[in-house]
Amino acid sequence: MTTTAPSLPVYLDYAATTPVDARVAEVMQRYLTVDQLFANPASRSHMLGWQAEQAVEQARRQVADAINADPREIVWTSGATEADNLALTGFMRANRARGLHLVTSTIEHKAVVDTAKALESEGFEVTWLTPGPDGRITPEHLRDALRDDTALVSLMAVNNELGSVNDIEALARVAHEFGAAFHTDAAQAVGRIALDVVAQQVDLMSLSAHKAYGPKGVGALFVKRHPDIRVEALIHGGGHERGMRSGTLPTHQIAGMGEAFALMQREGQTDQVAIASLHQRFVDGLATLDGVALNSPADHAVPNIVNVAFEGVDGEALLMALRDLAISTGSACNSASVEPSYVLLGIGVERERAHSSLRFSFGRFTRDTEIDHALALIRHAVQGLRVSTR
Ligand SMILES: *Cc1c(COP(=O)(O)O)cnc(C)c1O
C-alpha cells in the first residue's frame, strides 16, 4: 500500500454507515460456508449448533461489556430501527396499566419519531419535546413534560445529524423520579461517548452494528433485567431471544457486531482523539471561507459529526458540485427529499439556512489528506456557486 493522494471520492459520511473493519470481516467469515460454523445456533441436537451458539453467546458478552450490561439483557435485532420499534411499541403495549403517555423529542431518529407517531394513532399520547439550539434536552425541560401516567421517556444519546450529546444519566434520573422508564437510542454513541447502563440508569438502549464498523442488518436492544421493564414481542415465531424477538439468529452478523463492539471498547477513545484533531483541521479550514457557520454545537458534541451551513449556497447544488465527496444533507433517509432537515428545523435553524447545510462525518479510517482534499473541493465549489448566483 502506498500513501499517495486519497482515492476518490472521499468518504465523509460515517454517520450514515461505517465500513466494516477488516478484523470484523475476518471474524464474520468463520460462520458461513460448509467447512465452517454455519449451523443454526438454535440447533440443540448437534455439536455444530452448539458451536454456533457459543459464537452468538460470546458476541452477546462483547456487546454487553461495551455498555456494562449483563449478557442476558441483550436482545438481537436487525438493527437500531427494529430496536427502537421494539423499545417504544413493545414497552408501551406491555405497560398499558402504567400509563399511555410517552415523552420523546422532535429531533430523534425517524425510527423513534415514526414509531411514536404510529403509537399516537394506536391511542397512546406523545409529548414532543423541542431541544435547545444546541440540540440537547435539559432535565428541567423533561421534568415539565412528565406526568403520573408517563410510562416511557425516549431520548437519544448522540444525534445523528448534529453530533449533540444528551446527558442521558441526568435525563434518566428525572424520568425515574416520575416512575417512568428510560430508553435511549445509542446507535451513534457506541465508542464515541462513555456508555454504562448501570451508572447512567438506562432501562432500554438501542444499538446498531453498522455505525460502529460492524455489518449492516444487525443490532440489539438492551432490556434491563427488572420486573418493571417488560417488552411485548413485535415479531412472533420460534420464541428466540426469550420470546422478545423470534427469528433464526444470523451468526455471522452477530459475531461481527460482537467483534466490532469489542474493538470499539478497546479503541473507541483513541479513535475519538484522532478524530478530534481531524475535526479541528476541518473547522479551521472552513473558517478561512466567508459565510460558513456550524449548526453542530461547540460543546457537548462528538467530534466525528460536523453540520455546516454555507450562507447563500443551496445545499443540494453544493452536494452536486461536491460529487467527489461522499457526504449528505442530513440523515440518509432524507437525502431523497427536498425538504430541509427536520432536525435542523427542530433546533430552530431557519429554512433557508437549513437548505444551505451539509453534514460531514469522520471515522477510524479518515486521514488528514482527505480532510485537506475535501476542504479544497469545498472552497472551489462554494466560490463557484456564489459567483454563479450573483
Ligand atoms: C442509523 C441510526 C438508526 C438506525 O439504525 P439501523 O441499524 O440502520 O436500523 C437509528 N438511530 C440512529 C440515531 C441512527 O444513527
Side-chain angles (χ1 to χ4, degrees):
M1 293 283 271
T2 52
T3 50
T4 49
S7 55
L8 297 175
V10 176
Y11 188 78
L12 298 180
D13 205 12
Y14 278 78
T17 194
T18 56
V20 174
D21 191 293
R23 294 166 291 182
V24 171
E26 198 270 318
V27 168
M28 292 176 68
Q29 283 166 19
R30 298 175 197 160
Y31 304 99
L32 293 164
T33 55
V34 68
D35 53 344
Q36 293 175 316
L37 297 176
F38 66 88
N40 189 327
S43 292
R44 291 286 159 80
S45 54
H46 50 72
M47 175 96 128
L48 292 171
W50 303 334
Q51 287 174 330
E53 187 190 21
Q54 271 177 10
V56 166
E57 293 315 310
Q58 181 187 325
R60 203 187 294 277
R61 242 183 335 268
Q62 290 170 313
V63 168
D65 282 350
I67 60 169
N68 193 28
D70 184 296
R72 291 170 296 182
E73 297 175 314
I74 301 299
V75 176
W76 300 116
T77 65
S78 60
T81 299
E82 187 190 330
D84 286 339
N85 274 265
L86 181 57
L88 270 67
T89 305
F91 186 88
M92 293 306 287
R93 285 184 186 164
N95 290 275
R96 284 177 197 275
R98 204 154 149 177
L100 302 181
H101 184 224
L102 166 71
V103 178
T104 186
S105 90
T106 55
I107 67 161
E108 298 298 307
H109 190 272
K110 283 285 183 187
V112 166
V113 170
D114 289 353
T115 303
K117 284 182 185 164
L119 286 168
E120 279 181 325
S121 64
E122 218 176 279
F124 293 97
E125 198 188 329
V126 179
T127 296
W128 298 92
L129 296 176
T130 309
D134 61 356
R136 303 177 91 212
I137 300 291
T138 64
E140 296 72 37
H141 197 173
L142 171 60
R143 181 172 282 114
D144 291 341
L146 291 166
R147 314 190 312 215
D148 288 344
D149 64 339
T150 308
L152 182 67
V153 172
S154 177
L155 294 169
M156 68 204 313
V158 174
N159 183 273
N160 47 300
E161 291 194 36
L162 300 165
S164 51
V165 178
N166 268 325
D167 184 347
I168 51 175
E169 185 176 345
L171 296 168
R173 197 177 309 123
V174 173
H176 291 149
E177 277 171 29
F178 283 76
F182 185 78
H183 166 250
T184 191
D185 178 339
Q188 295 284 349
V190 175
R192 279 78 181 209
I193 63 168
L195 291 175
D196 181 328
V197 292
V198 177
Q200 292 162 336
Q201 293 186 51
V202 172
D203 301 307
L204 299 156
M205 179 182 279
S206 298
L207 302 167
S208 178
H210 77 98
K211 306 291 174 66
Y213 311 100
K216 295 166 197 47
V218 63
L221 180 66
F222 155 79
V223 182
K224 184 180 175 166
R225 272 169 67 89
H226 189 281
D228 289 347
I229 309 300
R230 274 191 322 279
V231 298
E232 216 174 272
L234 305 181
I235 296 178
H236 306 278
H240 307 73
E241 300 299 283
R242 290 176 288 123
M244 282 183 269
R245 204 285 193 174
S246 290
T248 301
L249 295 175
T251 315
H252 61 301
Q253 301 285 82
I254 287 171
M257 181 166 176
E259 183 66 16
F261 274 45
L263 289 173
M264 271 304 210
Q265 208 187 339
R266 283 209 297 278
E267 301 175 7
Q269 245 176 329
T270 325
D271 284 351
Q272 284 303 86
V273 171
I275 290 168
S277 104
L278 295 172
H279 173 104
Q280 196 58 49
R281 193 182 187 92
F282 187 64
V283 169
D284 288 349
L286 288 177
T288 65
L289 284 169
D290 289 333
V292 172
L294 299 188
N295 297 315
S296 294
D299 299 317
H300 302 294
V302 291
N304 51 294
I305 300 176
V306 194
N307 201 303
V308 185
F310 299 91
E311 198 185 299
V313 177
D314 178 60
E316 292 294 327
L318 185 53
L319 206 57
M320 292 301 288
L322 290 174
R323 275 184 307 272
D324 290 341
L325 294 184
I327 49 174
S328 80
T329 51
S331 62
C333 330
N334 296 345
S335 43
S337 76
V338 288
E339 266 298 289
S341 151
Y342 71 94
V343 171
L344 293 178
L345 299 180
I347 61 165
V349 170
E350 334 82 80
R351 288 186 84 82
E352 192 180 328
R353 174 162 162 173
H355 266 304
S356 303
S357 297
L358 296 177
R359 178 188 69 183
F360 301 84
S361 48
F362 318 126
R364 184 176 288 165
F365 306 107
T366 310
R367 297 288 165 257
D368 282 354
T369 49
E370 294 179 308
I371 298 290
D372 295 345
H373 189 57
L375 285 165
L377 293 173
I378 293 166
R379 173 173 292 109
H380 185 252
V382 168
Q383 286 169 351
L385 287 168
R386 285 203 177 127
V387 167
S388 68
T389 53
R390 215 162 261 157

